[in-house]
Amino acid sequence: MDMIGQQLMNAVMLGTMYSLVAIGFSLFFGTMNVIHFSHGDISMLGAFIALFFVPIITQYSVLGSVIMFIGAIVIVAVLGIFLSGLVIQPLQSSPQLYTLLATLEAGLVIREAIRLFYPGGKMSQKFPIIFPSGGFSIGGLTIRFDQLFILAIGVAVFVATVLIVNKTSLGMAIRAYSQDKEASMMMGVSESKVIAVTFALGSALAAIAGILHGTYYREVIYTMGLTSGIIGFSAATIGGLGSIWGAIVGGYLFAFIQTSVSAFVPGGSEYRDVIAFGVMILFLLFRPTGILGERQSERV
Amino acid sequence: MLEINGLSSGYGKIEVLHQINLHVDEGEVVSVLGANGAGKTTLMRTIINLIHARSGTIKYRGKDITHLKTHQIHALGIGIVPEGKRLFEKMTVMENLRMGCFLEKNERVIAERIEKAFDMFPRLKERKDQLSGTMSGGEQAMLTIARGTMSDPDLLIMDEPSFGLAPVLINEMFSIIKRISQEGKTVLLVEQNAWKGLEISDRGYLLQKGEVILEGKSSELKENSLVKKAYFSN
Amino acid sequence: MNKLIVLLSETVLFALLILFLIAESVSITILFIVAGFLCAAAVLIFPKKAERIIKPFAKERRTAIIFSMILMAILPFFFTTQPYWLLTLSLAGIYIMLANGLNMQTGTTGLTNFSGAAFFGTGAYTTGLLSVHLGLPGWLTIPAGMFASVLIGAILFFPVLKVKGHYLALVTIAFGLMFNIMLNNTDAIGGPQGISGVKAFAIGGFDFSGMWAIGPFIFSSYANNYWLTLLAAILALAFTRYIYNSPVGLILNYVRDDEWSSKSQGLNISYWKLIAFCCGNALIGLGGALYAHMIGYVAPDLFSFQTSLLLLSMVLLGGMDSIPGVTVAAFVMIVLTEKLRVIQDYRFLIFGLLVIIMIIFRKEGLIPSRVRPYFPKLKSVLMKR
């Protein structure tokens, strides 16, 4: 019971981070019909930029952590917009493969830049503790405070994202644009603004995921973005690309598959990604639109 | 109000419109007629810069709008009813109407306009929470027009609003366009249905192979043999 | 006359290559690179004038090919004292096979394969395991490596046939990651340490790791492996060229450019996709098998996503669907990184930036694939879609 509880908690933590990355994939696909393969590396970048704020945290603790969060998120959001202008928008009218390759290479460049130019970037970096340590236990299950914080931040961000997309006028513009680009422009929606907002929002969520990853594992490394990007895309695919709820469901599902493999399959912890990816591939083959997706995987 | 001089445009290597001259004065209803492939829709799309003009100028109230972006052109007070409905299919009727006045931030004004739209199309009121993609063709056509008027535009550009409608609905549609113009709006109407189009408009242009081959008062055009010819032979 | 131009210019190029490799000072190397870069730029800027130099080659194709093969074959004679560069050239030869195999899949048929390194690894590991544990001879292990690559590729058959575009990219990337995790965590194949002690290729009692001499020229294992790789690379290129110029190549292009239309012409798309996928993997497996015998050691690090991306960069920089382009790109990228040890650590960054710049400004690559001569208008029409 105890072990299962811990595993469950672990799955919830992982799921929260995966979902945050997956939402970005869904957003970009829904509005611009592109897959932004460097999205995971954007998330990694979020964590590393947060590291620049470490001196502030040591000085101001709580306020410092808030500044770190906001600072890293804003910087990454701006970088996301910049990246979309560099490798996505210029390629909108070219075959898919080029966008794919350009974003993958962009991810590689980000990874390599961190590895080469971040001081000691080849090794994993210690991430500061920003949430109160300690915890409490209910019926043998120990819950740490940082876990609660991560969950709370995750849920708050999910709710905020859903509200932004469904209730605000910007969100309405994004939805209109994703349903019919030209018609939305005829109604006064600015294309460049929608694209900028979408990328800022998606990148901000990825940055949050990166920072939460850092706080949970207490360390970050430049390669973490590649896996989290592929996992994020897999999660969005399982849930149904284009749907925000789908991305959230997919993120948690992916995490539950992973943790159950490492919990119940003997010696499975090394192979958890192998099996989770395998499940994703099966999903793609037999239910290409995902759990909640309505969009066809190929639009003719 | 709208002045088009020597406008050419097209797709890829093919030029579709050649040196179009056209103007719309305040308060007028002007129809652009022509057979399939004459370049009517290309003309509309070039005016709102969904296709870039190759040469020539488009002026609105004396201001050059040739190179403005589509949403900026709309913001000057030009409402658009696009060809083929182009509704936001996964949004409700209400949301579609709100999209029509996307740039209007005053909730009271929006409520008034929605009220007015429901007044003009009572049918839409019954369906206000339905997803627009699930409505019938006639209802969708009404919603497209209602959405186009939501921004209270001075000039309304309509691209074949009657396309694909049952004859009964076509009559209704034209009486609505008439009503819109009586409320003081200027209308630029692209129509394949020449007789209906000329009936409600003040002036008309006849497009053939991307050129204006005839223009004049609607009453005169109706009598013109070229109009007949343009419609019944290609 | 044409013949003379071809022979002369090939000899000059050959001499330059040797000088470039032998030159020890970094400044000379950089001088060479700048000169090469300027030449490439000149060719891109004045395509008409470049055409005049290329024309004799097109006219005297047979002479050009045979003579260049002779030159490459006598190359070890110039490196008896610095055999290390022969290893670099052999590595370049292996990457030429890998990149051309990938090009057959991605460039010619449009099957996005982001797991090239996995098939490379399959070939290398199979050969290594068979050689170390069973002591099988090279003439058996190399075909076995190729076959294993094709077989492992079978796992991906289903997705390759059913899934397209972004999703195929996702599946292949995930597959590459899965493969790498398996290599790292399976102790039976050495885990993160991999397999060492793979024996050198040997045939008919002649061991390729041995030394031998012709008069004053002494040849080491480097030279032996160089000749072996050269032979394999020539065969691989001949094979890809043959496929490309045959009706099969045309069909593969057709399948890539318009699936619906080719289906309506009665083509069995699945069949042709499989052909392209298997042939490509066989070539990649061949590269892996030769690699294992040559280096004598295989480890998971090399068969990572990074390498897959490097292979795709070669295809893209050279020009999708362009055999000469891909070949030149693979050769230049490998030789340059070996020559410029200083940039070794920065190579992924540099190549990544280069590919991005290339995609934005010159999608067709350095040496674009030529319009097929059978139906001059076919490709230009299809390209517009």
Side-chain angles (χ1 to χ4, degrees):
Chain A
M1 182 59 216
D2 186 28
M3 201 273 271
I4 291 176
Q6 299 298 358
Q7 292 292 351
L8 201 68
M9 199 63 207
N10 195 27
V12 170
M13 292 298 102
L14 286 176
T16 310
M17 296 169 214
Y18 295 163
S19 301
L20 286 171
V21 177
I23 290 174
F25 278 102
S26 251
L27 263 179
F28 304 149
F29 184 78
T31 41
M32 300 188 62
N33 201 23
V34 296
I35 296 301
H36 180 34
F37 266 109
S38 48
H39 193 54
D41 297 295
I42 288 280
S43 166
M44 177 271 290
L45 204 57
F48 272 89
I49 288 175
L51 284 182
F52 281 111
F53 290 86
V54 168
I56 303 178
I57 299 175
T58 43
Q59 217 168 348
Y60 301 106
S61 79
V62 178
L63 183 66
S65 309
V66 174
I67 293 175
M68 180 194 87
F69 253 96
I70 294 174
I73 289 167
V74 170
I75 294 173
V76 171
V78 172
L79 285 175
I81 297 173
F82 173 74
L83 203 63
S84 83
L86 192 71
V87 294
I88 292 180
Q89 288 176 54
L91 299 172
Q92 276 280 278
S93 51
S94 346
Q96 270 179 2
L97 180 62
Y98 292 105
T99 320
L100 253 163
L101 262 173
T103 54
L104 274 169
E105 297 282 353
L108 175 76
V109 168
I110 295 173
R111 272 199 300 284
E112 288 294 301
I114 292 288
R115 182 176 74 90
L116 294 164
F117 304 125
Y118 190 88
K122 287 184 178 70
M123 300 298 187
S124 56
Q125 301 288 310
K126 231 176 130 258
F127 204 84
I129 298 165
I130 51 174
F131 298 127
S133 51
F136 57 89
S137 49
I138 319 169
L141 172 64
T142 317
I143 296 175
R144 300 204 318 254
F145 286 132
D146 64 338
Q147 291 175 326
L148 279 186
F149 267 98
I150 290 174
L151 184 61
I153 290 176
V155 171
V157 172
F158 295 151
V159 172
T161 310
V162 171
L163 285 181
I164 287 174
V165 172
N166 286 319
K167 299 288 174 207
T168 65
S169 108
L170 259 178
M172 193 152 92
I174 293 177
R175 280 187 296 142
Y177 182 84
S178 71
Q179 290 173 33
D180 191 329
K181 272 185 201 192
E182 287 183 358
S184 73
M185 279 144 72
M186 292 176 203
M187 305 298 133
V189 172
S190 155
E191 183 171 32
S192 48
K193 204 169 154 188
V194 164
I195 294 174
V197 168
T198 310
F199 274 93
L201 183 61
S203 307
L205 296 188
I208 295 174
I211 298 173
L212 293 183
H213 181 104
T215 60
Y216 190 60
Y217 291 106
R218 306 273 161 83
E219 61 173 27
V220 288
I221 187 164
Y222 73 97
T223 49
M224 69 189 239
L226 177 63
T227 348
S228 78
I230 300 306
I231 290 177
F233 186 15
S234 305
T237 306
I238 291 175
L241 263 184
S243 149
I244 291 181
W245 284 117
I248 297 172
V249 170
Y252 283 106
L253 192 63
F254 197 92
F256 280 111
I257 297 170
Q258 270 189 336
T259 25
S260 15
V261 171
S262 46
F264 302 120
V265 180
S269 56
E270 273 95 22
Y271 296 99
R272 60 177 204 174
D273 285 347
V274 175
I275 291 177
F277 283 136
V279 171
M280 178 274 293
I281 293 177
L282 289 179
F283 241 97
L284 211 46
L285 289 176
F286 297 109
R287 192 171 160 77
T289 52
I291 299 171
L292 296 179
E294 26 191 338
R295 217 174 253 272
Q296 289 295 309
S297 57
E298 184 198 15
R299 291 194 281 187
V300 181
Chain B
M1 193 176 206
L2 185 73
E3 234 177 287
I4 298 172
N5 280 313
L7 184 70
S8 303
S9 79
Y11 309 89
K13 282 181 184 156
I14 302 148
E15 189 175 285
V16 178
L17 294 181
H18 321 287
Q19 301 286 320
I20 300 276
N21 293 313
L22 182 151
H23 68 96
V24 182
D25 295 331
E26 189 109 39
E28 271 189 319
V29 175
V30 174
S31 51
V32 175
L33 312 170
N36 257 340
K40 292 170 301 184
T41 295
T42 308
L43 174 62
M44 291 299 126
R45 289 170 66 83
T46 312
I47 293 176
I48 56 175
N49 202 7
L50 283 175
I51 301 170
H52 302 302
R54 303 213 165 149
S55 61
T57 56
I58 307 163
K59 280 185 180 167
Y60 176 70
R61 293 193 189 278
K63 184 181 156 83
D64 189 350
I65 60 165
T66 323
H67 302 296
L68 287 187
K69 297 233 170 81
T70 307
H71 69 273
Q72 293 168 321
I73 294 172
H74 169 84
L76 293 174
I78 299 180
I80 302 151
V81 176
E83 188 202 20
K85 306 195 181 84
R86 307 295 290 265
L87 290 169
F88 303 114
E89 298 198 340
K90 286 180 219 158
M91 290 187 175
T92 63
V93 169
M94 207 62 173
E95 284 177 309
N96 266 284
L97 291 177
R98 291 188 72 101
M99 273 312 293
C101 55
F102 177 70
L103 297 175
E104 180 61 62
K105 299 295 171 208
N106 186 333
E107 280 297 326
R108 223 188 56 231
V109 175
I110 294 175
E112 271 170 27
R113 295 214 186 129
I114 288 178
E115 210 42 57
K116 212 170 133 198
F118 284 159
D119 183 44
M120 205 183 301
F121 303 98
R123 187 106 180 124
L124 293 183
K125 192 171 185 175
E126 297 166 24
R127 313 240 151 187
K128 67 181 172 139
D129 292 320
Q130 192 174 339
L131 288 186
S132 68
T134 64
M135 298 196 304
S136 74
E139 289 162 344
Q140 289 187 343
M142 287 176 197
L143 180 55
T144 316
I145 294 183
R147 188 183 64 176
T149 60
M150 278 300 288
S151 60
D152 194 23
D154 299 328
L155 171 65
L156 189 62
I157 298 179
M158 304 174 95
D159 198 349
E160 303 213 18
S162 71
F163 184 77
L165 291 184
V168 192
L169 287 172
I170 291 181
N171 284 336
E172 199 185 324
M173 189 63 68
F174 279 101
S175 64
I176 284 163
I177 297 172
K178 216 169 186 172
R179 189 172 149 191
I180 290 171
S181 104
Q182 278 162 0
E183 283 171 6
K185 300 214 185 311
T186 312
V187 177
L188 176 60
L189 173 71
V190 162
E191 248 319 318
Q192 210 173 2
N193 191 332
W195 311 121
K196 287 281 177 197
L198 288 173
E199 226 163 69
I200 60 158
S201 59
D202 302 304
R203 286 190 303 117
Y205 289 82
L206 183 60
L207 233 57
Q208 196 179 50
K209 290 179 182 157
E211 285 173 54
V212 174
I213 57 163
L214 199 64
E215 61 170 294
K217 289 221 161 61
S218 297
S219 48
E220 289 163 14
L221 285 183
K222 262 197 241 176
E223 311 302 323
N224 196 303
S225 60
L226 262 178
V227 176
K228 274 185 195 161
K229 237 178 109 189
Y231 269 85
F232 296 111
S233 68
N234 224 342
Chain C
M1 184 61 202
N2 277 336
K3 241 175 212 171
L4 199 68
I5 295 175
V6 168
L7 296 183
L8 213 64
S9 44
E10 281 194 355
T11 315
V12 170
L13 274 178
F14 181 67
L16 285 175
L17 174 68
I18 291 172
L19 284 179
F20 173 67
L21 288 176
I22 289 179
E24 267 174 29
S25 95
V26 177
S27 50
I28 294 180
T29 311
I30 290 175
L31 198 74
F32 262 104
I33 293 171
V34 170
F37 184 77
L38 288 180
C39 286
V43 169
L44 294 187
I45 296 166
F46 308 107
K48 286 245 170 69
K49 287 200 174 136
E51 197 72 18
R52 224 184 297 163
I53 305 169
I54 295 167
K55 221 173 186 178
F57 283 88
K59 279 201 178 139
E60 297 291 335
R61 176 163 281 154
R62 186 182 291 264
T63 319
I65 290 175
I66 291 177
F67 188 60
S68 63
M69 286 202 285
I70 293 171
L71 286 178
M72 292 313 278
I74 61 167
L75 194 126
F77 284 91
F78 299 88
F79 287 91
T80 43
T81 49
Q82 287 155 298
Y84 171 75
W85 293 112
L86 292 175
L87 181 69
T88 300
L89 290 175
S90 310
L91 207 60
I94 285 174
Y95 272 87
I96 286 173
M97 288 173 235
L98 301 180
N100 272 297
L102 192 67
N103 181 43
M104 197 182 267
Q105 301 170 339
T106 304
T108 310
T109 323
L111 299 170
T112 338
N113 180 1
F114 283 94
S115 49
F119 301 112
F120 180 26
T122 308
Y125 264 85
T126 310
T127 304
L129 287 171
L130 290 180
S131 166
V132 171
H133 293 308
L134 298 181
L136 289 184
W139 57 270
L140 265 179
T141 54
I142 290 178
M146 292 169 72
F147 183 69
S149 276
V150 176
L151 209 64
I152 291 286
I155 301 174
L156 275 181
F157 278 175
F158 214 33
V160 162
L161 295 182
K162 257 193 106 172
V163 178
K164 280 188 206 68
H166 307 310
Y167 295 108
L168 184 54
L170 174 63
V171 170
T172 54
I173 294 173
F175 179 77
L177 293 180
M178 287 156 82
F179 183 82
N180 197 259
I181 296 169
M182 300 288 269
L183 289 189
N184 263 310
N185 292 304
T186 310
D187 293 330
I189 53 171
Q193 271 75 46
I195 310 164
S196 49
V198 183
K199 288 184 203 74
F201 188 73
I203 194 163
F206 179 74
D207 188 349
F208 274 58
S209 62
M211 302 249 256
W212 59 292
I214 304 179
F217 299 101
I218 300 162
F219 299 108
S220 61
S221 64
Y222 291 119
N224 300 334
N225 276 312
Y226 170 83
W227 276 312
L228 179 66
T229 320
L230 180 67
L231 179 70
I234 289 172
L235 289 178
L237 280 177
F239 174 70
T240 44
R241 240 180 68 95
Y242 174 74
I243 294 276
Y244 186 82
N245 289 328
S246 73
V248 175
L250 181 65
I251 289 173
L252 297 182
N253 275 178
Y254 193 16
V255 168
R256 171 197 65 191
D257 289 336
D258 195 330
E259 211 164 273
W260 290 105
S261 157
S262 48
K263 206 181 260 178
S264 69
Q265 293 288 320
L267 291 177
N268 183 347
I269 298 187
S270 310
Y271 175 77
W272 291 112
K273 279 185 174 175
L274 285 189
I275 292 281
F277 196 66
C278 291
C279 288
N281 281 342
L283 285 179
I284 297 175
L286 172 64
L290 288 171
Y291 180 88
H293 277 307
M294 190 171 86
I295 307 290
Y297 163 70
V298 284
D301 275 1
L302 181 65
F303 310 111
S304 66
F305 180 63
Q306 216 86 316
T307 305
S308 296
L309 213 51
L310 181 71
L311 290 176
L312 263 179
S313 307
M314 288 171 178
V315 173
L316 201 102
L317 285 175
M320 294 270 253
D321 200 20
S322 153
I323 296 172
V326 171
T327 307
V328 169
F331 185 84
V332 169
M333 282 165 84
I334 293 301
V335 171
L336 268 196
T337 42
E338 289 295 323
K339 190 71 202 174
L340 274 185
R341 284 266 157 196
V342 218
I343 65 156
Q344 186 98 33
D345 208 25
Y346 296 85
R347 68 191 155 147
F348 287 118
L349 184 73
I350 293 172
F351 291 143
L353 286 172
L354 270 181
V355 172
I356 293 175
I357 292 169
M358 204 68 160
I359 290 175
I360 293 172
F361 295 107
R362 194 179 158 89
K363 285 188 187 55
E364 64 276 24
L366 271 180
I367 307 178
S369 63
R370 303 216 159 198
V371 174
R372 286 182 176 275
Y374 323 104
F375 311 108
K377 280 182 186 156
L378 180 71
K379 194 150 187 187
S380 58
V381 171
L382 292 174
M383 290 295 272
K384 273 198 194 116
R385 293 184 53 92

